[in-house]
Amino acid sequence: MTILGLRNTWGVTGRGAALLALSGLALLLAPLVADRYLVSVLTTVLWFAYVGQAWNVMMGFSGLLSLGHALYVGLGAYASAALFIHFGIGPWAGALLAMLVAVAAGCGIGFLGFRFGVKGVHFALLTIAFAEVARVGFDHLQWLGGSGGFFLPVEAGVSDPLNLRGSPTLFYYVILALVLAALAISRLLLHSRLGYQWLAVREDAEAAEAVGVDLFHARMTAVAASSALTALGGVFQAFYFNNLFPEQVFSMGRSIEIILPAIVGGIGTLIGPILGAFILTPLGEGLTFLLEVSGLELPGLKQLFYGVALVVIVVFRPDGVWPWLASRLGLVRASGEGDER
Amino acid sequence: MSDALLTVDNLSKRFRGLKAVSNVTFTVPEGRILALIGPNGAGKTTSFNLIAGVFPPDEGTVTLKGQRLTGLKPNRVCAAGIGRTFQIVKPFGHLTVEENVVVGALARERSVETARRQARALLERLELADQAQRPARSLTLPDRKRLEVARALATRPTLLLLDEVLAGLRPTEVDRMVEVLRDLNRREGLTILMIEHVMRAVMALSDRVVVLDHGEKIADGSPADIVADPRVIESYLGAEEA
């Protein structure tokens, strides 16, 4: 699978470390100089970086293609929102339960898929099917608002971080923290015994099994880790937007949006999903802006440009932008010089 | 027979009615090297896969040191002490050579650091140390074959199954690999069951040879007896030289 690209995950040079640190610092200070609009764009960028990272654990690390990750976002969002609205449980505590719900769903899908030998594209179809079932199901779940939407109360001027209520800047820092945490967790996982086994399963399941890897266990843990992380993205989404519609939250389009950052940035790499999000969201926003100032009002034109841009990226950098950029700019040690993971 | 490490008893496997392996019985004594030879399609690799747990046999049993392996999945067979290589090499292509072997070592190690130390020692031994940080897919075929052996050895097997690790190697490379295998066998007492077509290596290495043809065992004896056996010459050796 050429799409997987190099697994060169960390192994950064001094220059790479400096650039990453500088980027981190810039993100940390961004709300001090950015206006409201820019903060909201950056929040969106970071949200996609986060869920892209979470998806990457399944596809990038373990070779399990999920095209229904909106399911875990949606379950996380609805679970935390329901706990908040119906039981008065705050989002931080609710997040734990939301993650459990998503993990249960993920493990259910995983069990079906892995026990009955559903592989590759067929596994991907299974993940789509479950996301679609959830979309239709939640449409009819009146307890959670049904198709009319589920809303969280919005009070202007309230700052209550414990309940994840507050200014856009608060949400910006929360999602930034989530991105950094997901990055750290992904790196930790990748360097663990389990991580090595995931990579082995991704590369060649038969050979992995021959060296003692329990395929079922490896795949189930990957699904569990990915769905848990993704659910947290859903919790954030619920409390950031304050409204949830099954048609949006569980949509196929959302599932695709989730996987794009990793594909563009570099599947299986740690920085790839983050870089991908920083390419894609501004690209979309930039196109909107350009179309506005140019006065062109053709519906679908933005999507068309966006699609073309995506094709260009994927055709010319099939392994993702990060592996290419990193080696061009000397940000990572070239393979052969020793990749200290 | 009390010193048998591996006992293959009456093993049979059919694929869509075709008998791939038919009532095959043999033992591999502890500390010895046994070669499994025969023409293409004789059922050698199928026998390997039955031993390694890739698929269950229709009939028969596989026992390692008295422990029944029949029906176990490959990862359990590995845990029981059998390491294997694949005829068509299966490196973890995007991982480095060292990481490939680390995965093998993690079969018995919880700590990645310890596994890495073991992997480095093995790469040293298989003369792959200078390639340790290269992606496995960039290796040449002989190096990939050695990587297969290194990765299988990393699981610390009591029995090593080698599926044509010498095929496609040049004579000098064959000699190097033969040296490594002989060394593993003599110095560490590693028991080896090898499928091999390179008769020179079979003669040099093996203590005993089992010959399969059309899924059945047609001969079982010392290398000297085997090359003199009329049935073996007719079905395999003669045909090869002709």
Side-chain angles (χ1 to χ4, degrees):
Chain A
M1 265 197 154
T2 54
I3 202 171
L4 288 176
L6 285 170
R7 194 230 75 261
N8 206 335
T9 50
W10 208 257
V12 287
T13 57
R15 195 194 300 186
L19 196 72
L20 288 178
L22 217 60
S23 310
L25 193 67
L27 285 173
L28 213 56
L29 301 177
L32 300 180
V33 290
D35 63 3
R36 220 181 146 82
Y37 168 70
L38 192 58
V39 169
S40 83
V41 171
L42 283 174
T43 304
T44 308
V45 168
L46 291 173
W47 189 81
F48 278 112
Y50 175 80
V51 289
Q53 189 83 269
W55 176 80
N56 197 37
V57 170
M58 247 176 95
M59 178 64 197
F61 298 173
S62 326
L64 295 168
L65 178 55
S66 166
L67 293 179
H69 249 51
L71 173 67
Y72 309 123
V73 173
L75 288 178
Y78 270 100
S80 59
L83 287 168
F84 189 65
I85 295 289
H86 292 308
F87 304 103
I89 298 173
W92 298 108
L96 282 176
L97 217 79
M99 285 160 82
L100 277 179
V101 170
V103 168
C107 287
I109 298 171
F111 183 84
L112 285 176
F114 310 142
R115 264 290 172 262
F116 299 104
V118 183
K119 285 177 194 142
V121 178
H122 299 100
F123 178 75
L125 285 175
L126 193 67
T127 62
I128 295 176
F130 273 88
E132 286 293 287
V133 165
R135 183 176 62 83
V136 175
F138 275 75
D139 254 350
H140 298 279
L141 211 57
Q142 291 311 320
W143 188 61
L144 296 174
S147 59
F150 195 40
F151 301 92
L152 274 73
V154 184
E155 296 158 71
V158 175
S159 186
D160 182 6
L162 286 179
N163 280 315
L164 208 51
R165 309 275 75 194
S167 68
T169 311
L170 168 74
F171 282 98
Y172 173 83
Y173 280 116
V174 168
I175 193 68
L176 180 61
L178 281 178
V179 168
L180 295 176
L183 181 65
I185 289 170
S186 294
R187 179 173 150 74
L188 208 66
L189 284 170
L190 208 51
H191 290 69
S192 70
R193 180 172 188 260
L194 186 61
Y196 274 93
Q197 296 186 331
W198 283 348
L199 292 172
V201 171
R202 178 192 81 186
E203 293 292 314
D204 192 313
E206 201 186 338
E209 205 177 17
V211 290
V213 178
D214 183 337
L215 295 182
F216 185 74
H217 175 262
R219 288 173 171 149
M220 285 296 262
T221 48
V223 175
S226 180
S227 53
L229 285 171
T230 310
L232 223 45
V235 176
F236 178 86
Q237 192 193 17
F239 284 79
Y240 180 56
F241 289 111
N242 299 308
N243 59 67
L244 296 168
F245 297 93
E247 287 302 322
Q248 291 173 3
V249 176
F250 291 107
S251 76
M252 184 71 212
R254 175 50 53 83
S255 285
I256 291 172
E257 281 179 328
I258 291 170
I259 77 176
L260 287 180
I263 291 178
V264 167
I267 293 177
T269 64
L270 288 169
I271 304 295
I274 301 174
L275 182 67
F278 271 94
I279 293 170
L280 287 171
T281 307
L283 187 69
E285 291 293 325
L287 284 171
T288 308
F289 176 73
L290 276 179
L291 289 176
E292 257 171 35
V293 294
S294 65
L296 278 171
E297 278 192 43
L298 287 170
L301 197 61
K302 182 194 157 190
Q303 280 73 9
L304 187 70
F305 277 131
Y306 194 76
V308 169
L310 208 61
V311 167
V312 168
I313 295 173
V314 171
V315 166
F316 288 99
R317 296 271 86 83
D319 286 344
V321 175
W322 169 250
W324 168 76
L325 194 71
S327 71
R328 278 302 287 270
L329 300 183
L331 305 181
V332 291
R333 280 184 285 274
S335 50
E337 288 177 37
D339 168 24
E340 286 300 323
R341 300 209 313 158
Chain B
M1 281 302 192
S2 60
D3 64 341
L5 179 68
L6 180 80
T7 307
V8 173
D9 189 30
N10 213 20
L11 216 53
S12 292
K13 183 72 182 177
R14 279 175 296 273
F15 292 113
R16 294 199 197 96
L18 180 81
K19 279 212 152 192
V21 173
S22 189
N23 304 320
V24 169
T25 296
F26 63 86
T27 60
V28 184
E30 184 143 25
R32 298 299 169 86
I33 300 181
L34 187 137
L36 200 57
I37 67 169
N40 289 325
K44 304 183 298 289
T45 295
T46 304
S47 301
F48 254 41
N49 285 336
L50 290 171
I51 295 167
V54 175
F55 32 67
D58 296 327
E59 289 153 40
T61 56
V62 177
T63 359
L64 185 77
K65 275 225 152 179
Q67 186 193 350
R68 227 182 115 126
L69 300 183
T70 328
L72 292 186
K73 299 198 113 215
N75 58 307
R76 309 291 309 157
V77 173
C78 171
I82 294 184
R84 74 163 299 180
T85 68
F86 290 90
Q87 182 183 1
I88 295 156
V89 292
K90 288 176 171 290
F92 303 131
H94 289 91
L95 305 192
T96 66
V97 169
E98 182 178 293
E99 286 165 346
N100 268 262
V101 185
V102 166
V103 173
L106 285 171
R108 299 210 190 276
E109 263 328 313
R110 316 270 343 153
S111 144
V112 173
E113 267 322 300
T114 315
R116 194 187 306 277
R117 274 199 300 279
Q118 293 169 1
R120 286 188 177 147
L122 274 168
L123 289 174
E124 203 70 54
R125 182 154 197 182
L126 272 293
E127 297 171 39
L128 282 169
D130 51 339
Q131 320 241 40
Q133 302 307 327
R134 290 181 59 187
R137 62 184 169 157
S138 70
L139 294 187
T140 60
L141 182 69
D143 284 344
R144 286 180 197 213
K145 295 255 177 184
R146 278 188 285 172
L147 177 57
E148 284 276 315
V149 177
R151 192 175 61 188
L153 283 174
T155 67
R156 281 191 257 151
T158 47
L159 172 69
L160 184 62
L161 303 182
L162 301 173
D163 196 347
E164 294 198 30
V165 283
L166 303 175
L169 301 195
R170 286 194 296 272
T172 49
E173 292 158 353
V174 168
D175 290 342
R176 277 167 70 196
M177 186 70 101
V178 165
E179 257 335 292
V180 170
L181 296 178
R182 200 200 308 269
D183 191 51
L184 282 165
N185 174 252
R186 293 214 176 133
R187 284 224 305 230
E188 273 147 58
L190 182 70
T191 311
I192 299 174
L193 172 60
M194 58 194 292
I195 293 177
E196 202 45 72
H197 278 299
V198 181
M199 279 312 286
R200 191 163 59 86
V202 170
M203 298 305 288
L205 274 175
S206 57
D207 301 299
R208 247 179 65 224
V209 181
V210 168
V211 190
L212 295 185
D213 190 22
H214 295 298
E216 290 175 32
K217 185 169 92 169
I218 61 167
D220 186 343
S222 73
D225 293 343
I226 291 298
V227 291
D229 189 316
R231 279 191 75 185
V232 178
I233 293 169
E234 189 197 339
S235 76
Y236 180 53
L237 298 175
E240 195 175 61
E241 278 155 23

